[in-house]
Amino acid sequence: MERSSTYRIPFFILLMVLVLCFGLNISLGSVSIPFSDTWNSILGGNIEKESWHYIIWDYRIPKAFTAILVGSGLALSGLLMQTLFRNPLAGPFVLGISSGASLGAALIIMGSSLFSGVLAFGFANDVVLAIAASFGSFLVLLVVMVVASKVKDTMALLIIGLMFGSITAAIVSVLSYFTNAEKLQQYVYWSFGSVGNLSWPQLALLTSIILIGIVLSVLSIKSLNALLLGENYARSLGVDMKKSRYLIIIATGILAGGITAFAGPIAFVGLAVPHLTRQIFKTTDHTILVPAVLMYGAVLMLLCDTIAQLPTSANVLPINAITSIVGAPIVIWLLVRKRKMIF
């Protein structure tokens, strides 16, 4: 009872900020729509222009929900990686899973230049692109799982994951060198990241993926709390380290791989949000941190997307650039402060 009352107010404030950011996100855009008409459309009331109803329901609301899912999933996967490796600078992409998704996308977009058009049928299709990126991340996840069964040292697994990322990045560089300018531009555009390209069916699929990752993460809470005190202590508490590592890696792979497949590689959210959450909630208990990072990640991503869409302007900035501009100073600030992190 004492624990729930201690964190009730921060959770309530975070929920209110999330609702406010959601409302702000769907109210602002290249087309100026009065705030009253926006909410009338959501509540099923009458609005001045029918085209506004289409803009709100077919673009802005799916985009806002996508931002919530992307921010929550990346923040949660970052928390999992930082706890598993006991490293404050670990993020959701340290296992090379995002790089695997990028490789899958690169093969579809740029591979036709090397394979005489065999892959050309799919490079312009968003669904095929998402499938290819998912398949790439899944293959890297399988390789990481095999390595995890052979390597008992968690830090060695971290280094191996980074090496997988370097290998896939090198292959993408080779593809970039041989591809033509048009397809290279398309790949670069994909790498900027975007939360505004998903249809309702795609959003439903992404929601299912994120929910699976969240369920696996919740099942790992006991192991995550034990890992804070070291693997040996966790074993002394009866935690099956091999099974726990598998579960955490699979959860991270599902979250990071699925998000990269549908929204592109988005940096710094997974790295920065867990630290920001700990500063607010002053705890290392994952029973509190897991729901907190989900909400905080959603808030940060909604804010970044609101900034990226440049309200009243037809131009949209790359979401990856905005998250990096916001996230990098946070990481620098954390390092400069040199406050002790508990991992």
Side-chain angles (χ1 to χ4, degrees), residues 98-111 119 122-123 128-137 172 175 183 186-187 190-191 260-261 264-265:
S98 175
S99 298
S102 298
L103 177 60
L107 285 172
I108 288 296
I109 296 173
M110 301 185 293
L119 299 177
F123 83 93
V128 174
L129 191 59
I131 292 173
S134 301
F135 186 69
S137 63
V172 171
L175 289 172
K183 292 177 182 177
Q186 185 180 357
Y187 176 76
W190 178 85
S191 69
T260 305

Side-chain angles (χ1 to χ4, degrees), residues 78-310:
L79 176 67
L80 296 178
M81 289 294 94
Q82 289 173 11
T83 303
L84 175 63
F85 295 117
R86 301 182 68 204
N87 186 333
L89 295 180
F93 303 141
V94 295
L95 295 178
I97 295 167
S98 175
S99 298
S102 298
L103 177 60
L107 285 172
I108 288 296
I109 296 173
M110 301 185 293
S112 57
S113 298
L114 294 178
F115 300 107
S116 303
V118 174
L119 299 177
F121 72 94
F123 83 93
N125 189 316
D126 289 339
V127 176
V128 174
L129 191 59
I131 292 173
S134 301
F135 186 69
S137 63
F138 180 71
L139 284 180
V140 173
L141 178 61
L142 282 180
V143 175
V144 170
M145 292 295 294
V146 172
V147 172
S149 66
K150 305 293 182 182
V151 177
K152 294 184 178 180
D153 186 3
T154 302
M155 292 309 298
L157 181 61
L158 171 61
I159 296 173
I160 291 170
L162 293 173
M163 293 304 101
F164 279 131
S166 298
I167 293 170
T168 53
I171 297 173
V172 171
S173 297
V174 172
L175 289 172
S176 301
Y177 181 80
F178 286 105
T179 195
N180 58 50
E182 180 184 355
K183 292 177 182 177
L184 179 59
Q185 184 181 26
Q186 185 180 357
Y187 176 76
V188 171
Y189 182 79
W190 178 85
S191 69
F192 286 158
S194 175
V195 295
N197 296 328
L198 270 64
S199 62
W200 282 108
Q202 290 174 315
L203 182 59
L205 179 57
L206 178 60
T207 302
S208 301
I209 292 172
I210 300 301
L211 286 176
I212 292 172
I214 291 174
V215 169
L216 293 178
S217 301
V218 170
L219 294 176
S220 304
I221 285 179
K222 178 183 176 181
S223 302
L224 291 167
N225 283 335
L227 281 170
L228 292 173
L229 298 175
E231 292 188 10
N232 291 333
Y233 183 81
R235 289 190 183 94
S236 69
L237 293 178
V239 175
D240 187 338
M241 284 306 304
K242 187 175 182 180
K243 180 181 178 181
S244 298
R245 280 205 301 175
Y246 281 164
L247 200 60
I248 294 170
I249 290 172
I250 291 172
T252 303
I254 290 173
L255 291 168
I259 289 170
T260 305
F262 284 96
I266 297 177
F268 281 108
V269 175
L271 179 60
V273 170
H275 294 301
L276 290 172
T277 305
R278 293 187 189 97
Q279 297 298 318
I280 293 177
F281 286 86
K282 308 295 183 183
T283 183
T284 57
D285 184 359
H286 286 77
T287 307
I288 304 299
L289 287 178
V290 168
V293 297
L294 288 172
M295 297 173 67
Y296 210 133
V299 168
L300 182 62
M301 199 66 198
L302 282 171
L303 288 174
C304 288
D305 180 59
T306 302
I307 296 171
Q309 66 190 6
L310 294 176

Side-chain angles (χ1 to χ4, degrees), residues 3-66:
R3 174 185 291 180
S4 61
S5 60
T6 301
Y7 297 107
R8 188 177 300 160
I9 294 177
F11 271 118
F12 178 76
I13 294 174
L14 201 53
L15 179 60
M16 291 299 100
V17 173
L18 176 59
V19 173
L20 179 63
C21 290
F22 180 83
L24 184 67
N25 187 270
I26 63 176
S27 300
L28 299 176
S30 59
V31 178
S32 180
I33 302 176
F35 188 79
S36 58
D37 283 324
T38 298
W39 287 105
N40 282 338
S41 176
I42 293 174
L43 298 175
N46 296 323
I47 59 176
E48 184 178 336
K49 296 181 181 179
E50 188 63 28
S51 60
W52 290 351
H53 183 81
Y54 172 81
I55 291 171
I56 292 169
W57 280 98
D58 287 3
Y59 180 71
R60 291 190 182 180
I61 291 181
K63 181 167 64 68
F65 277 121
T66 302

